[in-house]
């Protein structure tokens, strides 16, 4: 039997940082302010390593088998997530400086879609990012990480947990539905098309 342990994320974990980037998908270019994948990757590594930002290891857990990271989840109260917006932008500007501004001036629609994205509502605990390595498919890594996030929510006194999923990601939406999440609303913006999904927890 394969033993998976879920542990607080390591700030030096390159795998955790990569999975966080993978979970963000196409929005990563807008966030990092670059079309250069190397710059995007480096920026997300810095965000992961740092604290007090939306993409920090501080709010993440890694699913590990021995020393190998198989998956990653970030989860936190929506109220905290919203408080992190300004500090995340400040950190991004300190990393990318004028490059961040120049890129997003050329991609204004994507930029405004990203910064105006409302992921959840007050009183919710939120799964902000979730990803697993392709080789772990069939091992239930995503389900175990979600279950861990739900336990964190209950521990902190939350009775509602939420997440967003791309409309075209049918496989993920099917998993969330099977785990008890229901679509409650949609996000439809020029570069972002998501379902909001919510689950009520028993405290």
């Amino acid at each position: 039997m394969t033993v998976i342990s879920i542990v607080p994320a390591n700030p030096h974990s390159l795998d955790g940082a990569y999975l966080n980037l993978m979970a963000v998908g196409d929005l990563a270019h807008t966030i990092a302010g670059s079309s250069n994948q190397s710059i995007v990757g480096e920026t997300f590594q810095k965000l992961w390593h740092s604290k007090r930002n939306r993409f920090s290891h501080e709010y993440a857990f890694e699913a590990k088998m021995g020393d190998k990271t198989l998956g990653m989840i970030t989860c936190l109260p929506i109220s905290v997530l919203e408080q992190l917006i300004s500090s995340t932008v400040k950190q991004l500007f300190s990393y990318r400086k004028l490059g961040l501004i120049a890129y997003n001036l050329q991609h204004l629609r994507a930029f405004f879609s990203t910064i105006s994205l409302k992921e959840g509502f007050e009183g919710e605990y939120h799964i902000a990012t979730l990803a697993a390595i392709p080789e772990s498919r069939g091992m239930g890594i995503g389900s175990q990480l979600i279950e861990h996030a739900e336990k964190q929510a209950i521990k902190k006194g939350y009775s509602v947990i939420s997440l967003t999923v791309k409309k075209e990601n049918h496989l993920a939406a099917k998993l969330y539905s099977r785990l008890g999440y229901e679509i409650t609303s949609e996000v439809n913006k020029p570069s972002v098309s998501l379902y909001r999904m919510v689950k009520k927890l028993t405290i």
Side-chain angles (χ1 to χ4, degrees), residues 31-173:
I31 293 162
S34 178
S35 56
N36 183 313
Q37 199 59 37
S38 177
I39 292 174
V40 173
E42 182 182 327
T43 302
F44 269 79
Q45 282 181 25
K46 289 178 178 177
L47 288 169
W48 175 266
H49 181 74
S50 301
K51 290 187 175 183
R52 297 299 300 167
N53 76 72
R54 158 75 169 71
F55 304 100
S56 171
H57 71 278
E58 191 176 7
Y59 309 99
F61 297 89
E62 293 180 70
K64 301 183 77 72
M65 184 172 62
D67 293 330
K68 185 173 179 59
T69 297
L70 301 180
M72 178 281 318
I73 194 167
T74 57
C75 49
L76 66 169
I78 279 290
S79 57
V80 175
L81 185 66
E82 292 178 346
Q83 290 168 15
L84 292 172
I85 293 173
S86 60
S87 57
T88 302
V89 171
K90 286 176 184 176
Q91 286 183 37
L92 281 166
F93 184 73
S94 74
Y95 303 149
R96 296 284 295 119
K97 298 185 169 59
L98 293 179
L100 182 71
I101 297 171
Y103 179 89
N104 283 311
L105 282 174
Q106 295 173 14
H107 303 84
L108 281 174
R109 293 178 72 188
F111 175 69
F112 282 117
S113 293
T114 303
I115 64 170
S116 64
L117 181 61
K118 188 169 181 59
E119 297 181 59
F121 298 93
E122 188 68 30
E124 295 175 356
Y125 198 77
H126 188 68
I127 295 172
T129 56
L130 170 66
I133 62 172
E135 303 93 290
S136 71
R137 184 167 293 175
M139 296 174 65
I141 300 300
S143 299
Q144 291 180 60
L145 285 166
I146 291 170
E147 182 182 352
H148 187 79
E150 291 172 1
K151 288 177 180 176
Q152 293 298 309
I154 292 169
K155 189 186 298 184
K156 296 177 187 297
Y158 286 84
S159 60
V160 177
I161 187 166
S162 63
L163 54 81
T164 59
V165 59
K166 290 181 179 178
K167 289 185 176 181
E168 65 269 24
N169 194 346
H170 304 296
L171 198 62

Side-chain angles (χ1 to χ4, degrees), residues 3-22:
V3 178
I4 305 297
S5 57
I6 298 178
V7 298
N10 182 340
H12 305 291
S13 171
L14 295 179
D15 291 330
Y18 171 74
L19 285 165
N20 204 16
L21 167 59
M22 193 171 90

